[in-house]
């Protein structure tokens, strides 16, 4: 509870009157849209995910970065495009997640981008597989202004860890986490808050007690147990845990599998914020990994213009009418 409070306080310190009003307008227009059955949009995006790179050092089986299986162009975010976007959005942006696909630390300018966003009063976070947390990098992370670092660690032994994080070294991940926490303590800093994220699968669910013990011993700030997204879930997978409390899917009557949660024709994410690929394509959310639903391009359009554009409004309209007709929504637990 104390650790979550520290994160919350850091977030609220960065709120301004303008950002608070903007958030309220978005929330109100979302609720009115649900009642009216048509998209009404007041305000500008309060959150944004920006992709530093599509490159990754691992080969995780349910990830297009890991599978090297993108149908869209791959590459690295350039600082000029990033700064241009932040300059447009910083007055209404409350949270920036510098991640979409790939491993952010592979982009040489990644921490410089974090620092730039932090200087503009935006709460910054990222997700990493933590294979690049060596001494020099850790010091740079501590100096960057990053507020939250989510570390994916899906096993507590190398044998189990590498079943999903293919090509990864658990010892390197654990030593990086320990080093960061030790250096943070030595420097007297509170940030970045370290969130240990564990994708619960049928291969690792038996390690949960050991994982919780390790997280407590190392004193990470938060442990998140996350359900795994599976592309071909209808036919089942050994990644689906036997404890369905940790699963997005449940058995269906026909011998297939289905989503546990029923689809509702609503989605707060479409009023809350957007996602940008490394080359500036704005897509509705992180489920659009191949950027099939491009709402606009930041190279030639402003974020504000894209946010209220006809393609975006038509997407929101379809969402309110029938989400099941949108491909990326069919495997979503929102």
């Amino acid at each position: 509870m104390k650790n979550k409070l520290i994160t919350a306080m850091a977030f609220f310190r960065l709120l301004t009157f303008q950002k608070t009003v903007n958030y309220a307008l978005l929330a109100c227009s979302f609720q009115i849209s649900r009642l009216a059955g048509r998209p009404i949009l007041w305000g500008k995006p309060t959150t944004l995910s920006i992709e530093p790179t599509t490159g990754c050092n691992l080969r995780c089986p349910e990830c297009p970065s890991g599978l090297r299986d993108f149908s869209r162009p791959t590459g690295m975010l350039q600082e000029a495009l990033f700064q241009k976007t932040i300059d447009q959005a910083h007055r209404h942006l409350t949270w920036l997640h510098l991640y979409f696909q790939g491993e952010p630390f592979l982009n040489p300018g990644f921490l410089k981008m974090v620092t730039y966003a932090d200087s503009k009063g935006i709460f910054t976070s990222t997700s990493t597989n933590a294979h690049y947390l060596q001494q020099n990098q850790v010091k740079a992370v501590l100096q960057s202004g990053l507020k939250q670092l989510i570390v994916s660690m899906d096993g507590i032994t190398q044998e189990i860890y590498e079943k999903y994080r293919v090509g990864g070294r658990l010892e390197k991940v654990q030593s990086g986490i320990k080093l960061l926490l030790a250096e943070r303590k030595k420097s007297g800093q509170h940030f970045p808050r370290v969130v240990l994220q564990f994708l619960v699968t049928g291969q690792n669910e038996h390690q949960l007690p050991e994982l919780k013990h390790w997280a407590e011993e190392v004193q990470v700030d938060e442990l998140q147990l996350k359900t795994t997204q599976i592309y071909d879930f209808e036919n089942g997978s050994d990644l689906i845990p036997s404890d369905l409390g940790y699963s997005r899917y449940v058995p269906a009557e026909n011998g297939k599998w289905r989503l546990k949660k029923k689809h509702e024709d609503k989605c707060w994410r479409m009023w809350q914020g957007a996602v940008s690929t490394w080359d500036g394509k704005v897509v509705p959310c992180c489920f659009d990994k191949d950027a099939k639903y491009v709402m606009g391009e930041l190279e030639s359009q402003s974020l504000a213009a894209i946010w209220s554009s006809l393609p975006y409004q038509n997407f929101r309209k379809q969402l309110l009418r029938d989400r099941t007709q949108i491909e990326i929504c069919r495997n979503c637990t929102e």
Side-chain angles (χ1 to χ4, degrees):
M1 180 60 73
K2 178 184 176 183
N3 288 320
K4 288 186 177 181
L5 185 60
I6 291 172
T7 303
M9 286 175 64
F11 175 78
F12 284 114
R13 281 196 192 105
L14 294 173
L15 284 184
T16 62
F17 178 75
Q18 184 175 349
K19 290 180 182 181
T20 304
V21 170
N22 181 68
Y23 184 93
L25 288 171
L26 291 171
C28 287
S29 62
F30 170 62
Q31 296 300 338
I32 293 171
S33 297
R34 289 184 62 193
L35 293 171
R38 60 184 180 87
I40 294 164
L41 184 67
W42 301 328
K44 297 175 182 177
T46 186
T47 64
L48 189 61
S49 293
I50 300 181
E51 180 178 66
T53 180
T54 49
C56 190
N57 53 310
L58 303 185
R59 289 186 171 269
C60 305
E62 293 292 323
C63 173
S65 289
L67 295 170
R68 286 27 174 198
D69 192 32
F70 284 110
S71 63
R72 62 181 169 97
T74 57
M76 290 198 180
L77 173 65
Q78 299 301 303
E79 289 179 42
L81 177 60
F82 175 77
Q83 291 186 7
K84 174 186 171 185
T85 305
I86 296 303
D87 288 345
Q88 292 176 16
H90 72 93
R91 289 183 179 84
H92 52 82
L93 209 59
T94 60
W95 192 298
L96 173 69
H97 192 49
L98 264 161
Y99 176 78
F100 178 22
Q101 298 296 299
E103 169 50 50
F105 282 92
L106 287 175
N107 187 319
F110 168 62
L111 289 177
K112 190 176 177 181
M113 295 178 202
V114 170
T115 300
Y116 189 78
D118 180 67
S119 73
K120 296 289 186 176
I122 305 168
F123 187 100
T124 54
S125 69
T126 193
S127 298
T128 178
N129 59 47
H131 279 71
Y132 298 96
L133 293 180
Q134 286 94 33
Q135 189 73 40
N136 289 340
Q137 193 71 286
V138 161
K139 288 183 178 179
V141 169
L142 291 172
Q143 294 168 2
S144 69
L146 184 69
K147 295 296 185 289
Q148 185 181 75
L149 182 71
I150 301 170
V151 178
S152 299
M153 193 184 87
D154 310 318
I156 202 68
T157 61
Q158 177 63 29
E159 178 189 8
I160 298 299
Y161 173 79
E162 67 184 6
K163 284 188 176 182
Y164 189 80
R165 300 288 167 182
V166 178
R169 288 175 50 200
L170 178 63
E171 184 276 330
K172 201 169 187 178
V173 175
Q174 292 182 329
S175 63
I177 294 171
K178 291 176 182 177
L179 177 63
L180 176 59
L181 290 170
E183 290 295 324
R184 191 185 74 181
K185 184 176 182 180
K186 191 188 299 182
S187 68
Q189 293 180 224
H190 294 293
F191 302 99
R193 308 307 288 171
V194 177
V195 178
L196 186 65
Q197 192 174 85
F198 189 89
L199 285 177
V200 183
T201 70
Q203 300 167 342
N204 65 18
E205 61 184 315
H206 65 284
Q207 293 194 328
L208 285 174
E210 192 177 352
L211 167 76
K212 291 173 182 177
H213 175 75
W214 188 86
E216 188 175 340
E217 183 182 10
V218 176
Q219 294 185 322
V220 296
D221 300 306
E222 186 180 343
L223 173 63
Q224 288 183 353
L225 303 178
K226 191 176 178 183
T227 59
T228 305
Q229 180 191 5
I230 298 166
Y231 285 115
D232 188 25
F233 66 86
E234 292 93 347
N235 295 315
S237 167
D238 60 359
L239 292 174
I240 298 176
S242 59
D243 184 344
L244 296 181
Y246 296 113
S247 172
R248 299 184 187 191
Y249 316 100
V250 292
E253 294 176 359
N254 58 2
K256 299 282 189 176
W257 290 74
R258 62 173 177 82
L259 280 173
K260 182 190 293 183
K261 291 185 179 179
K262 184 181 178 182
H263 273 122
E264 293 184 62
D265 294 329
K266 66 181 181 70
C267 183
W268 164 235
R269 290 187 186 189
M270 294 308 101
W271 276 257
Q272 179 190 44
V275 176
S276 172
T277 62
W278 67 273
D279 53 351
K281 291 182 175 67
V282 175
V283 298
C285 80
C286 60
F287 274 74
D288 192 8
K289 294 178 173 61
D290 269 313
K292 293 180 179 178
Y293 298 86
V294 177
M295 302 292 119
E297 303 205 18
L298 292 169
E299 285 281 11
S300 57
Q301 300 169 269
S302 70
L303 179 60
I306 296 169
W307 182 244
S308 58
S309 67
L310 184 61
Y312 228 138
Q313 286 294 77
N314 284 340
F315 189 90
R316 294 182 181 104
K317 185 186 296 183
Q318 180 60 57
L319 227 158
L320 293 168
R321 287 179 177 174
D322 185 0
R323 275 183 68 190
T324 62
Q325 298 305 306
I326 304 174
E327 184 183 347
I328 59 171
C329 296
R330 292 176 192 152
N331 194 6
C332 177
T333 56
E334 170 71 22

